[in-house]
Amino acid sequence: MSGSIRLTKGIVILICVIMFSVLLCPGSLLASEGTVYVAGNPDLYPVEYYDSETEQYAGLMPALYRMLSEKTEYTFQYLHPGDTNEQERMTKNGQVDIVSAYLEGEIDAQYLKMPQHISRITVDGEERDVCIAFSEIASEELIEKVSSALS
């Protein structure tokens, strides 16, 4: 009897670990299935910003993701859209595949792959580089397909 109880406890623990992994890392598990999770910047008008009337991101970056969706089999989905910038937290937690329109130096580089400068803007009177990067959980397949579509 105790052997079956231990086996049952082992199965329950395994299921809990798998469920925790799915909840903690949705981007890494689902990007291969066609959904790419994006950490958007709610306050970088006109590059990318959260429009509270439509409750969606707007600007140049969402347009870029729509174009990329047409060129790849991926759907780009903003994770937790809203007026609070959660890019760093979502990146550190491994929840997103792409960090979109962040100002250089705002996201810890150890969590990023292939950061690229996409534009330069003035923020509070200072010139700043706007970047986009893949997170450390982004698959090589995703990086290759998106990079190819952009070239």
Side-chain angles (χ1 to χ4, degrees):
M1 187 73 148
S2 66
S4 65
I5 292 173
R6 285 188 185 148
L7 179 61
T8 304
K9 285 182 182 178
I11 291 172
V12 169
I13 290 171
L14 178 62
I15 290 170
C16 289
V17 168
I18 291 170
M19 289 176 61
F20 181 74
S21 297
V22 169
L23 292 173
L24 185 62
C25 305
S28 64
L29 295 174
L30 295 177
S32 62
E33 296 178 11
T35 301
V36 176
Y37 286 99
V38 178
N41 189 331
D43 195 30
L44 201 59
Y45 181 87
V47 178
E48 183 173 65
Y49 60 98
Y50 181 73
D51 184 337
S52 58
E53 288 182 21
T54 64
E55 296 183 346
Q56 295 181 16
Y57 278 93
L60 302 173
M61 297 310 293
L64 173 67
Y65 297 129
R66 285 190 295 275
M67 186 253 337
L68 285 171
S69 287
E70 293 173 8
K71 290 186 170 190
T72 68
E73 75 272 13
Y74 296 114
T75 300
F76 293 81
Q77 179 177 335
Y78 284 98
L79 191 62
H80 303 300
D83 56 8
T84 302
N85 190 336
E86 297 188 50
Q87 290 178 300
E88 185 168 17
R89 181 189 63 77
M90 289 188 291
T91 303
K92 284 182 178 179
N93 289 342
Q95 295 176 291
V96 293
D97 298 292
I98 293 179
V99 185
S100 181
Y102 67 95
L103 295 174
E104 186 174 34
E106 287 189 343
I107 308 293
D108 191 336
Q110 73 176 339
Y111 300 104
L112 303 174
K113 292 181 188 176
M114 297 181 58
Q116 300 291 313
H117 296 119
I118 57 172
S119 67
R120 193 164 178 86
I121 63 170
T122 303
V123 178
D124 297 327
E126 180 185 342
E127 288 289 313
R128 301 282 306 270
D129 288 320
V130 178
C131 305
I132 183 174
F134 294 98
S135 74
E136 65 181 353
I137 67 163
S139 71
E140 293 304 316
E141 177 185 358
L142 170 66
I143 294 170
E144 181 180 314
K145 288 184 178 180
V146 170
S147 298
S148 176
L150 289 171
S151 57

